[in-house]
Amino acid sequence: MRRDHDSSTVATPFNVAIVGAGIAGLACANALAERGVAVTLFDKARGPGGRMSTKRLEQADIDLGAQAFTARDPTFQKALASWIALGHASRWPNVSYQASPNGWQLHHDPQPRYTGAPKMSTLTRHLANTFQTHPRSTLHLAIRIEQLKRLRNGWQLVDTQRRWSGPYQHVVLTTPPPQTLPLVTPWDGALTEACHARPQRSCWAAWAILDGPLPLPPGGEHGWQMAHVDHPALRLVSRNQTKPGREHQPESLSLMAHLDWSDSHLEDDPQSIADALWAAFRSLFPADATLPKRIASGAHRWRYAQPSTADDQLYLYSNSGLALCGDSFTHSRVESAWRSGTYLAQALVDRSV
Ligand SMILES: Cc1cc2nc3c(=O)[nH]c(=O)nc-3n(C[C@H](O)[C@H](O)[C@H](O)COP(=O)(O)OP(=O)(O)OC[C@H]3O[C@@H](n4cnc5c(N)ncnc54)[C@H](O)[C@@H]3O)c2cc1C
């Protein structure tokens, strides 16, 4: 990164800047780097992962975004097999329930699901580490890209500290469309329109760490791992300590709110959200059941949690050298975001030959 723009730097025949080190950006970065492309990857967060992040608390690690992902696509299945072989991913959950205040029923999911092991962010950290083993691959964390500049020799990225980076032949934006808008609006009408056409939903994700094990749910079993919940506020509960490699951690829940409920409580304070989702969870047990106490709780607001509607484009590319990918161009799923980044990388390479 440089403080001033240095126009003497010559662009390599094919180099790419990627904004966003979530699963789409990491997949794109690795697929390009494997093909010998020089890639510089930026994320505003202190760690990679985006919506696959894990919150590290004193007592336990809590997955706050994606809980478990599918692997329907054969290319993604191949990548997943390599992560499983390395111990970075594992099948989970194996025991799911459908829960309501009227009782719990076993949920038969025909689709196998997987999670990062021992935490969801292990997977994205692994992808970030693999990326950095490639020559001419650079990962910049804690850098928020604020502007793009188009100069004669390529694209420049400008961050919030007014530092410039470039020139790049291509810029891949994996950020959710509302965060992509200020970057593309001055340069590309079609991409700007594409961002406007992909509004996002918000989602509150709460956590509760407990001072003991949960009682037997009505109609359920002690070993339940995940529950789809029939409640106006709460839609899904995961037990983090049932995830592979976290068995030594205390009872700890991820509590995912419904999108409509999240919208109507968007500006509430996080502790009141944590309390409301805990109360919703409590209602899934008989009133006379004794539940363990919460020793820590909180909530994270994902303002751009998922696109309002699914799409089938995978990615968008403009002749100016700007490209958009991520889950907003496909489905709001880990594997879809991975496919989006991977297939965009292939398209960029194909265009350059
Ligand atoms: C609560 C929740 C639960 C979910 N559950 C599941 C699930 O169970 N299964 C499943 O398959 N999927 C699930 N998903 C969806 C899944 O997490 C996403 O589809 C996927 O992670 C999106 O990846 P991405 O790379 O497209 O975007 P992101 O992960 O959002 O990556 C974008 C990155 O861009 C960075 N960024 C943004 N602006 C800038 C900027 N200006 N400069 C630099 N960096 C920037 C962000 O920090 C972020 O890291 C869930 C999502 C949420 C929020």
Short mmCIF file of all heavy atoms in Angstrom, two decimals, residues 18-46:
data_model
loop_
_atom_site.label_atom_id
_atom_site.label_comp_id
_atom_site.label_asym_id
_atom_site.label_seq_id
_atom_site.Cartn_x
_atom_site.Cartn_y
_atom_site.Cartn_z
N ILE A 18 -8.93 -8.21 -5.13
CA ILE A 18 -10.23 -8.73 -4.69
C ILE A 18 -10.59 -8.03 -3.38
O ILE A 18 -9.78 -7.98 -2.45
CB ILE A 18 -10.17 -10.26 -4.46
CG1 ILE A 18 -9.77 -10.97 -5.76
CG2 ILE A 18 -11.51 -10.78 -3.95
CD1 ILE A 18 -9.60 -12.49 -5.63
N VAL A 19 -11.79 -7.51 -3.32
CA VAL A 19 -12.26 -6.86 -2.10
C VAL A 19 -13.22 -7.82 -1.40
O VAL A 19 -14.27 -8.17 -1.96
CB VAL A 19 -12.94 -5.51 -2.39
CG1 VAL A 19 -13.35 -4.83 -1.08
CG2 VAL A 19 -12.02 -4.61 -3.20
N GLY A 20 -12.84 -8.25 -0.19
CA GLY A 20 -13.67 -9.16 0.59
C GLY A 20 -13.05 -10.54 0.67
O GLY A 20 -12.87 -11.21 -0.36
N ALA A 21 -12.68 -10.94 1.90
CA ALA A 21 -12.08 -12.27 2.11
C ALA A 21 -13.07 -13.19 2.81
O ALA A 21 -12.73 -13.92 3.74
CB ALA A 21 -10.77 -12.15 2.89
N GLY A 22 -14.34 -13.14 2.37
CA GLY A 22 -15.29 -14.18 2.75
C GLY A 22 -15.03 -15.39 1.86
O GLY A 22 -14.04 -15.44 1.12
N ILE A 23 -15.95 -16.35 1.89
CA ILE A 23 -15.71 -17.60 1.13
C ILE A 23 -15.63 -17.32 -0.37
O ILE A 23 -14.81 -17.94 -1.08
CB ILE A 23 -16.77 -18.68 1.48
CG1 ILE A 23 -16.41 -20.03 0.88
CG2 ILE A 23 -18.17 -18.26 1.06
CD1 ILE A 23 -15.41 -20.80 1.63
N ALA A 24 -16.41 -16.37 -0.89
CA ALA A 24 -16.37 -16.09 -2.33
C ALA A 24 -15.03 -15.49 -2.71
O ALA A 24 -14.40 -15.91 -3.69
CB ALA A 24 -17.51 -15.14 -2.72
N GLY A 25 -14.56 -14.49 -1.94
CA GLY A 25 -13.28 -13.85 -2.24
C GLY A 25 -12.12 -14.83 -2.09
O GLY A 25 -11.19 -14.84 -2.91
N LEU A 26 -12.18 -15.67 -1.06
CA LEU A 26 -11.10 -16.64 -0.85
C LEU A 26 -11.07 -17.70 -1.94
O LEU A 26 -10.00 -18.10 -2.41
CB LEU A 26 -11.25 -17.30 0.53
CG LEU A 26 -10.95 -16.39 1.71
CD1 LEU A 26 -11.50 -16.98 3.01
CD2 LEU A 26 -9.44 -16.14 1.84
N ALA A 27 -12.26 -18.13 -2.36
CA ALA A 27 -12.32 -19.13 -3.44
C ALA A 27 -11.77 -18.54 -4.74
O ALA A 27 -10.98 -19.17 -5.45
CB ALA A 27 -13.76 -19.60 -3.63
N CYS A 28 -12.17 -17.31 -5.02
CA CYS A 28 -11.71 -16.64 -6.24
C CYS A 28 -10.19 -16.44 -6.18
O CYS A 28 -9.47 -16.72 -7.14
CB CYS A 28 -12.44 -15.30 -6.37
SG CYS A 28 -12.17 -14.47 -7.93
N ALA A 29 -9.72 -15.97 -5.02
CA ALA A 29 -8.28 -15.70 -4.86
C ALA A 29 -7.47 -16.97 -5.06
O ALA A 29 -6.44 -16.97 -5.77
CB ALA A 29 -8.04 -15.12 -3.47
N ASN A 30 -7.89 -18.06 -4.45
CA ASN A 30 -7.14 -19.31 -4.58
C ASN A 30 -7.17 -19.84 -6.00
O ASN A 30 -6.15 -20.29 -6.53
CB ASN A 30 -7.69 -20.37 -3.61
CG ASN A 30 -7.03 -20.25 -2.23
OD1 ASN A 30 -5.82 -20.40 -2.10
ND2 ASN A 30 -7.83 -19.96 -1.22
N ALA A 31 -8.36 -19.76 -6.63
CA ALA A 31 -8.47 -20.29 -8.00
C ALA A 31 -7.60 -19.49 -8.96
O ALA A 31 -6.99 -20.06 -9.88
CB ALA A 31 -9.93 -20.28 -8.44
N LEU A 32 -7.51 -18.18 -8.75
CA LEU A 32 -6.64 -17.36 -9.61
C LEU A 32 -5.17 -17.63 -9.30
O LEU A 32 -4.35 -17.80 -10.22
CB LEU A 32 -6.95 -15.87 -9.39
CG LEU A 32 -8.28 -15.37 -9.97
CD1 LEU A 32 -8.59 -13.97 -9.46
CD2 LEU A 32 -8.24 -15.37 -11.50
N ALA A 33 -4.84 -17.66 -8.01
CA ALA A 33 -3.43 -17.85 -7.62
C ALA A 33 -2.91 -19.20 -8.11
O ALA A 33 -1.76 -19.31 -8.54
CB ALA A 33 -3.30 -17.74 -6.10
N GLU A 34 -3.77 -20.22 -8.07
CA GLU A 34 -3.36 -21.55 -8.58
C GLU A 34 -3.01 -21.49 -10.06
O GLU A 34 -2.24 -22.31 -10.55
CB GLU A 34 -4.52 -22.55 -8.41
CG GLU A 34 -4.62 -23.14 -7.03
CD GLU A 34 -6.01 -23.74 -6.78
OE1 GLU A 34 -6.73 -24.04 -7.76
OE2 GLU A 34 -6.35 -23.89 -5.59
N ARG A 35 -3.59 -20.52 -10.76
CA ARG A 35 -3.32 -20.40 -12.21
C ARG A 35 -2.22 -19.37 -12.47
O ARG A 35 -2.06 -18.90 -13.59
CB ARG A 35 -4.60 -20.02 -12.94
CG ARG A 35 -5.64 -21.12 -12.92
CD ARG A 35 -7.00 -20.58 -13.30
NE ARG A 35 -8.01 -21.60 -13.48
CZ ARG A 35 -8.74 -22.14 -12.50
NH1 ARG A 35 -8.53 -21.77 -11.23
NH2 ARG A 35 -9.64 -23.06 -12.74
N GLY A 36 -1.50 -18.98 -11.42
CA GLY A 36 -0.34 -18.11 -11.58
C GLY A 36 -0.66 -16.63 -11.66
O GLY A 36 0.21 -15.81 -11.98
N VAL A 37 -1.90 -16.26 -11.35
CA VAL A 37 -2.27 -14.85 -11.41
C VAL A 37 -1.84 -14.15 -10.12
O VAL A 37 -1.95 -14.72 -9.03
CB VAL A 37 -3.82 -14.71 -11.60
CG1 VAL A 37 -4.24 -13.26 -11.61
CG2 VAL A 37 -4.25 -15.43 -12.87
N ALA A 38 -1.33 -12.93 -10.25
CA ALA A 38 -0.97 -12.13 -9.06
C ALA A 38 -2.26 -11.59 -8.45
O ALA A 38 -3.03 -10.90 -9.14
CB ALA A 38 -0.05 -11.00 -9.45
N VAL A 39 -2.50 -11.89 -7.17
CA VAL A 39 -3.76 -11.49 -6.53
C VAL A 39 -3.47 -10.74 -5.23
O VAL A 39 -2.67 -11.20 -4.41
CB VAL A 39 -4.64 -12.72 -6.20
CG1 VAL A 39 -5.96 -12.29 -5.56
CG2 VAL A 39 -4.91 -13.55 -7.45
N THR A 40 -4.14 -9.62 -5.05
CA THR A 40 -4.09 -8.90 -3.77
C THR A 40 -5.50 -8.89 -3.22
O THR A 40 -6.43 -8.42 -3.88
CB THR A 40 -3.56 -7.46 -3.98
OG1 THR A 40 -2.35 -7.54 -4.74
CG2 THR A 40 -3.27 -6.80 -2.65
N LEU A 41 -5.63 -9.41 -2.00
CA LEU A 41 -6.95 -9.60 -1.39
C LEU A 41 -7.07 -8.68 -0.17
O LEU A 41 -6.14 -8.63 0.66
CB LEU A 41 -7.06 -11.08 -0.99
CG LEU A 41 -8.27 -11.59 -0.24
CD1 LEU A 41 -9.55 -11.34 -1.01
CD2 LEU A 41 -8.12 -13.12 0.00
N PHE A 42 -8.18 -7.98 -0.09
CA PHE A 42 -8.39 -7.02 1.01
C PHE A 42 -9.64 -7.40 1.81
O PHE A 42 -10.64 -7.82 1.22
CB PHE A 42 -8.66 -5.61 0.45
CG PHE A 42 -7.52 -5.04 -0.34
CD1 PHE A 42 -7.40 -5.31 -1.70
CD2 PHE A 42 -6.58 -4.21 0.27
CE1 PHE A 42 -6.36 -4.78 -2.44
CE2 PHE A 42 -5.54 -3.67 -0.47
CZ PHE A 42 -5.42 -3.96 -1.83
N ASP A 43 -9.58 -7.20 3.12
CA ASP A 43 -10.81 -7.28 3.91
C ASP A 43 -10.76 -6.23 5.01
O ASP A 43 -9.71 -5.97 5.59
CB ASP A 43 -11.04 -8.66 4.51
CG ASP A 43 -12.52 -8.88 4.82
OD1 ASP A 43 -13.04 -8.25 5.77
OD2 ASP A 43 -13.17 -9.66 4.10
N LYS A 44 -11.92 -5.68 5.30
CA LYS A 44 -11.97 -4.64 6.33
C LYS A 44 -11.89 -5.24 7.74
O LYS A 44 -11.56 -4.56 8.68
CB LYS A 44 -13.25 -3.81 6.19
CG LYS A 44 -14.54 -4.56 6.42
CD LYS A 44 -15.71 -3.61 6.21
CE LYS A 44 -17.06 -4.30 6.18
NZ LYS A 44 -17.48 -4.94 7.42
N ALA A 45 -12.19 -6.53 7.86
CA ALA A 45 -12.17 -7.16 9.19
C ALA A 45 -10.74 -7.57 9.58
O ALA A 45 -9.86 -7.62 8.73
CB ALA A 45 -13.09 -8.37 9.18
N ARG A 46 -10.57 -7.88 10.88
CA ARG A 46 -9.24 -8.27 11.34
C ARG A 46 -8.89 -9.70 10.92
O ARG A 46 -7.75 -10.11 10.94
CB ARG A 46 -9.14 -8.12 12.85
CG ARG A 46 -8.81 -6.68 13.26
CD ARG A 46 -8.78 -6.55 14.75
NE ARG A 46 -10.12 -6.74 15.28
CZ ARG A 46 -10.42 -7.39 16.40
NH1 ARG A 46 -9.48 -7.93 17.11
NH2 ARG A 46 -11.67 -7.50 16.81
#
